[in-house]
Amino acid sequence: MTTQFLAAGTVGNPVANIAIFGLFVAVTMVVVIRASRNNASAADYFTGGRGFSGPQNGIAIAGDYLSAASFLGIAGAIAVYGYDGFLYSIGFLVAWLVALLMVAEMLRNTGKFTMADVLSFRLRERPVRTAAALSTLTVSLFYLLAQMAGAGGLVALLLDIEDRAGQSVVIAVVGVLMIVYVLVGGMKGTTWVQIIKAVLLITGAALMTVMVLAKFGFNFSDILGSAQQMVSDSTNKAVASRDVLAPGAQYGATETSKLNFVSLGLALVLGTAGLPHVLMRFYTVPTAKEARRSVVWAIALIGAFYLFTLVLGYGAAAIVGPDRILASAGGQNSAAPLLAFELGGVLLLGIISAVAFATILAVVAGLTITAAASFAHDIYGSVLKHGNADEAAQVRVSQITAVVIGALAIGLGILANGQNIAFLVALAFAVAAAANLPTIVYSLFWRRFNTTGALWSMYGGLISTIVLIVFSPAVSGSKSAMLPGSDFDLFPLSNPGIVSIPLAFALGVIGTFVGGRTPENPAKAAEMEVRSLTGVGAEKAVVH
């Protein structure tokens, strides 16, 4: 086996890399097929029969949440930008406190399958479910776009596929595998894939962290000093001028970049509590108590992992160097695989690469089943069929939807190939924070909130976020944009959260007052308050 780093950009042995990943796919496919044997109802397919314990669901949430952005994108951002790259880790972790304190238990008590169950509980069902389903589909597509872009960059590095056509084929293969997981296993199979992937990812990151620390005598200060020295020695003047141990390398140069940072922080901290695929995980446990336990487990695991990314990012800067990372086929997203190759050669690289692939597959499977369940349960079952669709029909429609969403994700992933995936995920968080979170908070805590307020908030947040993203530097006007040959960046910020999130909260209030002074359904509002706080009336819920 040849193990040298080739100038063309591949690392390790491509055959070994793919063989280890193939082994993971084979094992998880067996798990999915075995889990699918017990899918006898819509509840089994959409929520795993609510049969997972708090710790199991907490590990699965960590597997769902720790995406390619967390592993590849953040490690790369820290390796290239230092302190500013670690802000992604801080934002992603702090966001869980909002989810734990404000929504986890109440959502579990109030809903059944999807976020729209909660939002439409005491409001006019059809328009609210339609808006919630559209928001869910949009957030899921943005998130899928990031994962698919990560798949393209990772395989470009590992298999020396430098042309976009070859990378596009790989993205399509990942998309097909994702669709198979969802069609065969449903939520139960997807959850077990996420549990396996979370264990592998956290174990792999912990192993690499120990190896990096051992290389520097377990002295983190030496890692930081070596990282700064490698940056200073860079042949790229822009990189060499950075102080990666202090704020400002990415977000401190201008007033606009500082605003970008505030906007990014708002999106990250508030976005998690509005992510449909994370919210849907709260319905896979039998009680609200288990929902709380699952979030506590998730916070512990996710917090530990993000501490690992600090060592991995600076370790990649110190050992691999930013020049080599940026020159590789995967760009910033290749920092963790390149570091694995330096630490453990072909074997560790193959294992870490398989874990990264597993990360992408598990997350996209969770996203896809969330979007498919939302369309089947909310649009088809509740809006088109007025609640009269049988469970078998809903499952069948969700499977068709999964195929359509998979095809869309493949196309968008090919378009976004090459972007930093932590940044792309931040856009999904901005959409979730603006389109979903205000309506969730108002529905749970404001009895006067009405349908007009919900629709104004959801559609206003969704449309404003997408419009601002389209006209931002993220899409056009720069070499790193999705459309580098175009220039219509009328909005100066790459992340629109600082505008769209307050706007959505304000629209919820304005719409509520425009819609009328009296609550639409006082009895339903009272029932929702009691159920959300106690669990009485919720499926399989008990009083705590």
Side-chain angles (χ1 to χ4, degrees):
M1 287 187 180
T2 179
T3 59
Q4 73 268 29
F5 178 87
L6 302 178
T10 187
V11 280
N13 186 294
V15 176
N17 297 338
I18 286 299
I20 296 173
F21 173 60
L23 178 63
F24 169 83
V25 172
V27 170
T28 52
M29 197 61 73
V30 170
V31 172
V32 167
I33 292 170
R34 287 177 64 87
S36 69
R37 293 175 182 171
N38 299 320
N39 283 341
S41 67
D44 290 329
Y45 187 81
F46 292 141
T47 63
R50 306 186 196 278
F52 290 96
S53 67
Q56 285 176 330
N57 195 47
I59 297 171
I61 288 174
D64 212 354
Y65 193 70
L66 295 175
S67 66
S70 299
F71 186 46
L72 303 177
I74 293 177
I78 295 173
V80 176
Y81 294 107
Y83 184 98
D84 283 16
F86 188 56
L87 295 173
Y88 284 101
S89 292
I90 296 170
F92 285 142
L93 178 59
V94 171
W96 273 103
L97 296 178
V98 180
L100 173 64
L101 297 175
M102 294 185 69
V103 301
E105 180 181 351
M106 290 183 169
L107 276 174
R108 167 61 190 82
N109 285 340
T110 313
K112 184 177 181 182
F113 289 155
T114 67
M115 177 184 73
D117 289 335
V118 178
L119 302 185
S120 65
F121 190 93
R122 61 184 177 90
L123 306 177
R124 294 203 305 275
E125 186 171 14
R126 295 184 70 188
V128 172
R129 278 194 184 276
T130 302
L134 288 173
S135 172
T136 297
L137 291 168
T138 305
V139 173
S140 299
L141 278 174
F142 267 99
Y143 219 108
L144 282 168
L145 181 143
Q147 307 309 312
M148 294 301 193
L154 184 64
V155 175
L157 177 76
L158 299 176
L159 302 184
D160 192 21
I161 301 175
E162 294 196 349
D163 61 292
R164 288 187 70 90
Q167 293 178 25
S168 299
V169 171
V170 172
I171 289 173
V173 170
V174 171
V176 170
L177 279 172
M178 160 192 81
I179 293 167
V180 171
Y181 278 134
V182 173
L183 293 183
V184 174
M187 179 58 86
K188 193 171 291 183
T190 300
T191 298
W192 281 112
V193 171
Q194 287 163 344
I195 290 172
I196 294 169
K197 166 253 166 159
V199 172
L200 289 175
L201 178 61
I202 294 171
T203 303
L207 174 63
M208 286 179 63
T209 299
V210 171
M211 293 176 76
V212 170
L213 288 170
K215 199 173 182 70
F216 290 88
F218 290 92
N219 188 330
F220 188 59
S221 294
D222 284 352
I223 299 175
L224 297 178
S226 297
Q228 181 60 60
Q229 188 60 49
M230 287 290 280
V231 169
S232 301
D233 294 341
S234 171
T235 56
N236 185 322
K237 291 182 179 180
V239 173
S241 64
R242 292 171 187 161
D243 180 0
V244 295
L245 304 183
Q250 186 176 11
Y251 293 112
T254 64
E255 291 303 316
T256 299
S257 64
K258 291 175 183 177
L259 271 177
N260 241 330
F261 162 64
V262 175
S263 190
L264 172 70
L266 272 175
L268 295 182
V269 171
L270 298 179
T272 296
L275 287 175
H277 69 289
V278 172
L279 299 179
M280 192 171 176
R281 293 232 58 90
F282 299 140
Y283 301 131
T284 64
V285 292
T287 66
K289 180 180 179 181
E290 292 299 307
R292 286 198 305 274
R293 287 184 69 201
S294 65
V295 177
V296 172
W297 270 78
I299 289 174
L301 294 171
I302 292 166
F305 179 83
Y306 283 137
L307 287 177
F308 297 154
T309 63
L310 186 62
V311 178
L312 297 180
Y314 277 115
I319 297 170
V320 181
D323 285 357
R324 188 167 151 195
I325 291 169
L326 292 172
S328 66
Q332 282 186 42
N333 301 328
S334 64
L338 287 172
L339 177 63
F341 181 68
E342 288 296 323
L343 293 173
V346 171
L347 181 61
L348 184 60
L349 172 71
I351 293 170
I352 295 302
S353 301
V355 168
F357 269 120
T359 297
I360 292 166
L361 276 175
V363 172
V364 295
L367 286 163
T368 304
I369 194 166
T370 299
S374 180
F375 183 85
H377 180 62
D378 300 322
I379 300 293
Y380 175 78
S382 299
V383 177
L384 298 179
K385 292 294 184 179
H386 305 281
N388 297 319
D390 61 77
E391 291 190 344
Q394 287 190 49
V395 171
R396 187 168 61 252
V397 169
S398 76
Q399 291 173 332
I400 296 170
T401 307
V403 175
V404 175
I405 290 169
L408 277 172
I410 290 168
L412 291 171
I414 291 170
L415 181 66
N417 190 15
Q419 295 282 312
N420 180 284
I421 47 185
F423 166 73
L424 291 175
V425 164
L427 296 182
F429 273 63
V431 178
N436 296 340
L437 184 62
T439 309
I440 292 171
V441 171
Y442 289 147
S443 293
L444 291 172
F445 298 103
W446 188 18
R447 294 188 70 172
R448 185 172 172 179
F449 189 58
N450 57 30
T451 301
T452 306
L455 296 178
W456 281 36
S457 179
M458 280 192 282
Y459 283 125
L462 183 63
I463 293 169
S464 64
T465 306
I466 292 174
V467 169
L468 291 177
I469 288 174
V470 168
F471 290 103
S472 75
V475 174
S476 70
S478 67
K479 291 181 180 179
S480 60
M482 293 183 195
L483 303 173
S486 303
D487 188 2
F488 46 87
D489 56 326
L490 306 177
F491 181 67
L493 304 180
S494 296
N495 192 296
I498 197 170
V499 175
S500 59
I501 298 171
L503 176 64
F505 272 101
L507 286 173
V509 174
I510 296 168
T512 296
F513 284 104
V514 169
R517 290 186 173 276
T518 57
E520 293 177 1
N521 194 330
K524 273 287 186 182
E527 181 187 347
M528 182 175 182
E529 184 176 7
V530 171
R531 181 183 288 195
S532 66
L533 293 174
T534 66
V536 173
E539 185 178 350
K540 294 188 181 179
V542 296
V543 179
H544 301 293

